[in-house]
């Protein structure tokens, strides 16, 4: 009987040790998930803010392109035979400015699209971590 009690005591001690080890491992995993979640939230927020700034800057450029196009159209509509000679230098300068702005607009549009795609990935990563965090009541995504 003493031998059985010793084995039972050893089993209880081992089981308690295993339980404590599992709890510590789970706590460490939850803390690591929390840290990852905080980092991902910060990255998603920063990316969204940078994207909003880029979109606002792009809108300014878009408005400038539209404005220059409107001036070109106005100058071309002054006379059915073409731009009047006294306004021709202004017309050429406006067309050059318009072409320059369109080139910048195209580059900005490509850059903005890449930024949107990059942010989409950052936000998706945060959402995945937030979904994982919902399984742990101590974490608030």
């Amino acid at each position: 009987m003493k031998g059985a009690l010793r084995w039972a005591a050893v089993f209880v001690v081992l089981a308690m040790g295993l339980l404590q080890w599992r709890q510590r491992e789970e706590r460490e995993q939850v803390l690591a998930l929390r840290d990852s979640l905080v980092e991902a939230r910060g990255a998603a927020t920063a990316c969204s803010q940078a994207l909003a700034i880029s979109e606002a800057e792009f809108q300014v450029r878009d408005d400038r392109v539209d404005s220059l196009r409107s001036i070109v159209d106005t100058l071309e509509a002054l006379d059915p035979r073409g731009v009047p000679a006294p306004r021709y230098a202004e017309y050429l300068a406006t067309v050059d400015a318009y072409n320059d702005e369109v080139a910048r607009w195209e580059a900005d549009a490509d850059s903005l699209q890449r930024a949107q795609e990059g942010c989409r990935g950052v936000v998706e990563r945060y959402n995945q971590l937030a979904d994982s965090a919902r399984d742990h009541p101590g974490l608030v995504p």
Side-chain angles (χ1 to χ4, degrees), residues 22-127:
R22 283 187 177 171
Q23 288 174 338
R24 187 179 73 240
E25 285 291 314
E26 185 175 324
R27 245 188 337 268
E28 289 174 2
Q29 289 175 352
V30 167
L31 291 175
L33 177 59
R34 185 196 65 201
D35 291 345
S36 295
L37 184 62
V38 167
E39 183 180 318
R41 180 186 299 148
T45 299
C47 194
S48 295
Q49 290 172 343
L51 187 58
I53 291 168
S54 294
E55 288 171 343
E57 291 170 346
F58 180 77
Q59 186 59 50
V60 169
R61 174 138 356 253
D62 191 57
D63 292 346
R64 174 121 171 98
V65 167
D66 287 347
S67 175
L68 288 168
R69 181 71 238 177
S70 177
I71 294 170
V72 168
D73 291 344
T74 300
L75 290 170
E76 289 175 346
L78 289 175
D79 191 318
R81 295 171 294 167
V83 177
R87 307 285 305 266
Y88 197 70
E90 174 189 358
Y91 171 76
L92 290 179
T94 304
V95 168
D96 286 344
Y98 171 78
N99 289 337
D100 290 344
E101 285 297 319
V102 167
R104 287 187 197 105
W105 182 94
E106 289 170 348
D108 288 353
D110 291 342
S111 178
L112 185 58
Q113 184 175 12
R114 285 190 303 275
Q116 288 169 333
E117 291 167 2
C119 274
R120 189 174 303 113
V122 170
V123 170
E124 285 174 4
R125 181 181 185 305
Y126 167 71
N127 288 338

